[in-house]
Structure formats: C-alpha cells, structure tokens
Amino acid sequence: MARIPNKNRSIDGSKETLKLAVRITDLWFVGTPNKSEQAEMVFIDSEGDQIHAICKSDHLKSWKADLKENCTYVMHNFKVVKNDGQFRVCEHEYKLFFIGVTVVREADLHELPFKEFRFVEFANVVASNFVSGMLVGGLSACFIEKYQGCF
C-alpha cells in the first residue's frame, strides 16, 4: 500500500523519512556553475503551503538535470533543519536539505497549485508591519525597511 504524502505544514523536524508531493515554484542556483554551485527552491504542496529546499553541490550533480521550475514531483528523505537564517524565502519554520538517500521522481500531479504570490500590503510596509529578513517579491524586508522613507 502506497504511503500518503506528508503535507508541508506537518514538517516539524521530528522525522526525515518524509514523502512529499510537490511542485517546484521557484528554482535558482547560487555559486559558481559546475564548481561550488547549489540549487535552492521553493516547494508548494496541495494545500498551498510552501517550504524552502536546498540541494548542495555534492548532491546537485545527481539532480540538476531533473529539477525544473513548475514541474511536479514525489520526493522522499531529506535532512530537516530550522529555517532561522538571516534571510528566509518562506515563512515555514523548517527547510529541507537533499541528502545522499533523497529520492526524486517526476510525477504527473496537475492538481498541485502554481506559485502563489504573497504580497505585503503597501500600508504594512509604510507602518513597518512585516517580518524582517523575509524575502518579499525578490526584495528582502531589510531592504524595504532601509528605503521605507522613499515610498
């Protein structure tokens, strides 16, 4: 019997043997191509919940050709760590790292939503009512905070 996929919302760091059915809504590469490059991406599940995932350079060679923005996948086994860096791309408390036993299989999951923009209301920017360090539409909240007087 096939295991039911975990929801992004249920990821709490207590287990790493996850099964996820996700769409990659954002995919970008950081570093020097073919040397110290890593892939960073945002996964969205059937409920529209997002989580940040990272594939470091030591695992990227295995997956780079298969990872595509807007494609859907069933994935298993990640290292789960706190999402407490200086800048975050998702509100989720945790993020995922690909490890040696991560399994990625492209799947036909058309019911999964596409990217959902989560804009910050202009009034909230002016009132400094936002999460500092959260990337918003490609801009960090720190950038917005610094240039707030320009609006």
Side-chain angles (χ1 to χ4, degrees), residues 23-26 28 41-44 50-52 89-90:
R23 179 182 304 276
I24 297 176
T25 58
D26 289 293
W28 65 100
M41 58 208 97
V42 176
F43 296 162
I44 192 168
Q50 300 176 342
I51 191 164
H52 185 190
V89 297
C90 295

Side-chain angles (χ1 to χ4, degrees), residues 36-65:
S36 61
E37 184 179 40
Q38 71 180 26
E40 300 207 25
M41 58 208 97
V42 176
F43 296 162
I44 192 168
D45 67 11
S46 62
E47 295 180 354
D49 292 318
Q50 300 176 342
I51 191 164
H52 185 190
I54 299 170
C55 185
K56 295 263 189 193
S57 59
D58 50 340
H59 301 295
L60 186 57
K61 292 176 186 132
S62 302
W63 301 117
K64 187 172 184 178

